[in-house]
Amino acid sequence: MTILVAILLFGAIVFIHELGHFLLAKKNGVTIHEFSIGMGPKIFSIKRDVEYSIRLLPLGGFVSMEGEDGESKDKNAFGKKSIIQRASILFAGPFFNIVFAVILFIPVFMYIGTPGTTLSQIVPNSPAQVAGLQEGDKIESVSGEKVNSWQDVVTNLTNSEGKEVKLVIDRDGKDQELNIVPEKNEEGRYVIGIAPKYEKSITKAIATAFTTTGDMIVQMVKFVGQLITGTVPGGVSNSVTGPIGVISLVSDAAKTGIINVVYIGAIISLNLGILNLLPIPALDGGRLLMILIEALRGGKKIDPNKEATLHIIGFGALMLFMLFVTYKDILRLF
């Protein structure tokens, strides 16, 4: 049952991605041949103006557009559309995944609550306890910087780099000032030994969903940079996972409750969106790069057949990498 949940979740995320491409292609009048979820042999299909299909392997999906790879005489072919139209169609898939991640995060934070600036716990023998912080204190500013969220508190403490900070707190309706020297924890962040009180609010859940998505995008971009430079802690092969690994993660989450499945789903959707924007041939980012080059050349198109060949090579390289990652996933499972 947990594996079925994982496959359905992965299929939903792929569906959202392809739906973005599909809707923008429709809006811009592109001839579409097929909207498919999954790869490999068809197990179900229905023909309307477009063929809608489900394929055997839940490893991805695609929207087959006339003239996307190679030349076409169809006036409604993808390649006949303007630079802006083509770019919007390609960008829509990753964008839908990012939006979907925000939507999934909202019920997660509505359920667990969002961390505020009121303290629920003081770690014994921590800088916070030594300085006199108490449960129920509300942090109003850190070193003169007004804080409106727990993330503001964390950011200001991190930026202190271990130097003394001045906290203004509200205790029983009265402002007090405390001087505290943060200490570095095992993760390399500067902390003072406090935990926030979680508040359940739909408006705060929405705001936290957006900020969490933004923070994760920054972390993903940093991770991609580490992948490129080969500086990923633990090595590249141990830091990435394929469909089998993803299904395993979701299956584990499904055993602990639906809210964990939704949370993992948001992260997977965000990963799919960001990774698809990388300028690698065959990915949406690679195709967007070709359009950017075309724009810089004053609208002079790259030979469609040469571009198609480049994307085929890129797709082959991605499949080889996927096989390698899947092999590592299997080794980890056993």
Side-chain angles (χ1 to χ4, degrees), residues 117-119 132-140 168-178:
T117 58
T118 300
L119 305 183
L133 274 173
Q134 300 176 10
E135 293 179 10
D137 288 345
K138 182 177 181 180
I139 300 176
E140 296 190 329
V168 175
I169 62 168
D170 179 341
R171 179 179 296 169
D172 300 325
K174 297 180 180 179
D175 286 351
Q176 295 188 28
E177 293 184 3
L178 297 173

Side-chain angles (χ1 to χ4, degrees), residues 105 107-121 136-137 149-151 154 189 194-202 204-205 208 212 263:
F105 275 134
V108 170
F109 291 118
M110 285 178 63
Y111 178 79
I112 66 174
T114 56
T117 58
T118 300
L119 305 183
S120 67
Q121 182 182 0
D137 288 345
S149 67
W150 178 248
Q151 187 58 48
V154 172
R189 295 187 294 109
I194 54 177
K197 181 179 179 181
Y198 280 72
E199 305 168 5
K200 294 186 178 182
S201 161
I202 187 169
K204 289 185 178 180
T208 304
T212 299
Y263 181 76

Side-chain angles (χ1 to χ4, degrees), residues 78-79 81-91 284-302 307 311:
F78 176 82
K81 301 301 177 179
S82 70
I83 287 175
I84 295 296
Q85 287 175 317
R86 283 178 283 143
S88 68
I89 293 168
L90 293 172
F91 182 72
D284 296 323
R287 295 178 185 277
L288 284 167
L289 178 61
M290 296 296 105
I291 291 177
L292 176 60
I293 292 172
E294 179 186 327
L296 294 175
R297 296 173 68 189
K300 183 180 179 182
K301 289 188 176 182
I302 299 170
E307 182 180 343
H311 290 311

